[in-house]
Amino acid sequence: MMQMGRQKIECTETITRRDPADLREIPIGNVVHFDREIVGEDMWSAVRDRLTEAGPEKTLWVSESEYRFSGVLMRVVGGLKPGAFRKQSQPHMQDFKAFAELGKDVREAKD
């Protein structure tokens, strides 16, 4: 379930790329790709994440999101409030950062 404001949208998320498949031992210099597709009523989204080593104990995370809307309401929201999608992504990115750096399972704190 995705939530934008008070509206909840049921979606299906499919992982379309995870490379390398085994994330336990990644050779130095390799780029990790994690892509997914999210489909819901009147919307489609693709998220492409790339993680690369940026130095000792540092990782560069580049995340690209693409949204397409087929319904009138979603097209209006997407056109008038494009920043809302970035704003919605930010807490998820912070949650992942807390997990990666601190081992914190944010699901325990929010539910």
Side-chain angles (χ1 to χ4, degrees):
M1 295 296 284
M2 290 178 62
Q3 186 165 346
M4 286 189 65
R6 293 184 212 151
Q7 183 176 359
K8 289 186 179 181
I9 304 168
E10 186 173 343
C11 300
T12 301
E13 182 176 40
T14 304
I15 296 170
T16 56
R17 180 178 185 187
R18 187 174 78 186
D19 182 33
D22 185 356
L23 299 174
R24 289 177 286 193
E25 292 186 32
I26 302 166
I28 293 174
N30 274 25
V31 177
V32 174
H33 296 271
F34 185 72
D35 301 352
R36 54 211 179 277
E37 184 177 273
I38 302 165
V39 179
E41 186 176 344
D42 297 332
M43 69 152 295
W44 172 91
S45 174
V47 180
R48 291 172 286 282
D49 291 323
R50 292 184 310 279
L51 297 119
T52 55
E53 184 177 14
E57 303 293 319
K58 290 187 179 184
T59 300
L60 173 65
W61 177 14
V62 176
S63 183
E64 299 173 0
S65 299
E66 176 183 353
Y67 295 91
R68 296 183 192 166
F69 307 110
S70 57
V72 176
L73 178 62
M74 291 301 287
R75 284 183 182 192
V76 169
V77 171
L80 293 176
K81 295 187 176 186
F85 296 95
R86 273 186 237 103
K87 186 177 178 181
Q88 181 177 331
S89 298
Q90 193 66 35
H92 298 293
M93 294 178 83
Q94 293 297 340
D95 289 349
F96 180 74
K97 183 178 192 272
F99 171 74
E101 293 178 352
L102 307 171
K104 182 178 175 186
D105 187 342
V106 297
R107 294 173 298 181
E108 294 172 4
K110 290 185 178 180
D111 292 336

